[in-house]
Amino acid sequence: ADMDEVRRTPGLALDAMPGLNVGYLAMNGDHPPLDNPKVRLAIAHAINQPALLKLVYKGMAAPAASLLPPGMWGHNPKVSNYAYDPALAKKLLRQAGLSGGLEVTLWATRTGRPYMPDPDKMASLIEENLAAVGIRARIVSHDWKTYLAKLYNGEHDLALLGWVSTGDPSDILNHLLDADNAQKPHASNISFFRDQAVHELLTQAERETNMNKRLELYARAQERAHELAPLVPLAHANLMLARSAKALGIVNHQTGFVRFAKARLL
């Protein structure tokens, strides 16, 4: 929100770089009819991702297709974004026996995060997108601590969350897609996605020492997850750092940490 003001102000500088993060919409597979892949794909195709990037991120994010950012090792470029296609979303709902639509809760925290600067606005826009295809979403909001506890316990239908990675594919994919991490009340896999094929691919990749083989296993896991759509990757946010133009050597790291060890003033 302050980006333009920082750029206009003499003596200030704005650093921006791609982050190792992802903001996503989780769909709780333990809550029917979200256990049906057709319903989840309908939700994915109902979301206007380009509009979200423009209105929420002010263009300072890359559209997410997979959970892994494009510049991160293990990213599968063959996985494409879910196209914004309300007609297809309605068709999928009809095929799932939901021609009259459905009602869901849509959870959003009140706290901006590095991967999602304005969750309230994101939730409102997604609510509008879903309403256009007959999905009536009621927004639920909590403070950050309560929000996480309730998500990890699976109390939501749909929920906005994200992850900041250390740089290895296992850090994102295992936490967000592996059945081993879908155990309430401490689930990091808040889609409660329990696919045996994905579990086996991620387990093999974690044990594999050959990097090319690991890459292939992670690529297959991303493709399988994309087909079943337990969640909708939304954006990989840029990391923004405002500073005095005289302050040099500050490291705006991809993991979200800001490092001052070599900082100095002109």
Side-chain angles (χ1 to χ4, degrees):
D2 299 323
M3 186 168 60
D4 292 339
E5 183 179 355
V6 171
R7 285 173 169 160
R8 286 194 303 265
T9 303
L12 293 185
L14 186 69
D15 299 332
M17 67 177 301
L20 296 179
N21 63 63
V22 62
Y24 63 89
L25 176 72
M27 296 176 277
N28 189 343
D30 281 350
H31 289 190
L34 298 173
D35 57 340
N36 186 336
K38 286 185 182 294
V39 176
R40 299 196 298 265
L41 284 166
I43 291 170
H45 287 292
I47 295 173
N48 188 342
Q49 187 189 44
L52 296 181
L53 265 69
K54 179 180 179 181
L55 297 172
V56 177
Y57 294 89
K58 313 294 185 185
M60 298 303 290
S66 165
L67 288 169
L68 302 185
M72 181 174 166
W73 182 85
H75 169 78
N76 184 351
K78 294 180 180 178
V79 174
S80 58
N81 304 69
Y82 296 110
Y84 173 52
D85 191 338
L88 176 57
K90 292 178 182 179
K91 179 181 177 181
L92 288 165
L93 288 175
R94 288 195 300 271
Q95 290 176 354
L98 295 167
S99 55
L102 69 149
E103 295 183 1
V104 294
T105 57
L106 170 57
W107 289 47
T109 180
R110 299 170 185 151
T111 307
R113 308 299 296 168
Y115 47 75
M116 196 172 294
D118 193 342
D120 284 340
K121 179 175 251 182
M122 180 77 85
S124 296
L125 292 169
I126 290 176
E127 179 191 29
E128 292 176 9
N129 288 167
L130 296 178
V133 301
I135 301 173
R136 299 169 293 282
R138 177 174 61 87
I139 296 175
V140 177
S141 185
H142 294 282
D143 65 88
W144 182 238
K145 184 177 179 180
T146 303
Y147 186 73
L148 287 182
K150 288 181 173 291
L151 293 191
Y152 294 164
N153 196 42
E155 298 178 28
H156 57 287
D157 293 332
L158 310 180
L160 290 167
L161 200 59
W163 197 267
V164 180
S165 176
T166 59
D168 190 85
S170 64
D171 182 49
I172 293 182
L173 299 180
N174 287 43
H175 277 103
L176 305 186
L177 295 176
D178 195 350
D180 283 351
N181 291 316
Q183 309 302 318
K184 302 170 187 177
H186 304 294
S188 59
N189 172 1
I190 63 163
S191 303
F192 299 93
F193 180 59
R194 302 179 185 90
D195 182 73
Q196 186 62 27
V198 169
H199 170 70
E200 290 175 2
L201 288 166
L202 294 178
T203 301
Q204 291 174 40
E206 205 167 22
R207 296 170 179 169
E208 180 59 62
T209 57
N210 182 295
M211 296 300 278
N212 289 330
K213 290 181 180 178
R214 283 191 83 206
L215 189 64
E216 172 59 26
L217 291 165
Y218 284 132
R220 288 164 56 194
Q222 289 169 76
E223 290 166 6
R224 172 76 174 170
H226 187 266
E227 291 171 7
L228 297 177
L231 48 75
V232 184
L234 297 171
H236 304 295
N238 287 355
L239 299 177
M240 312 290 287
L241 177 69
R243 58 178 173 82
S244 165
K246 295 181 179 180
L248 304 179
I250 299 172
V251 177
N252 183 21
H253 197 265
Q254 285 181 297
T255 56
F257 291 102
V258 180
R259 296 176 177 170
F260 297 91
K262 297 182 180 179
R264 67 188 190 280
L265 288 175
L266 280 174

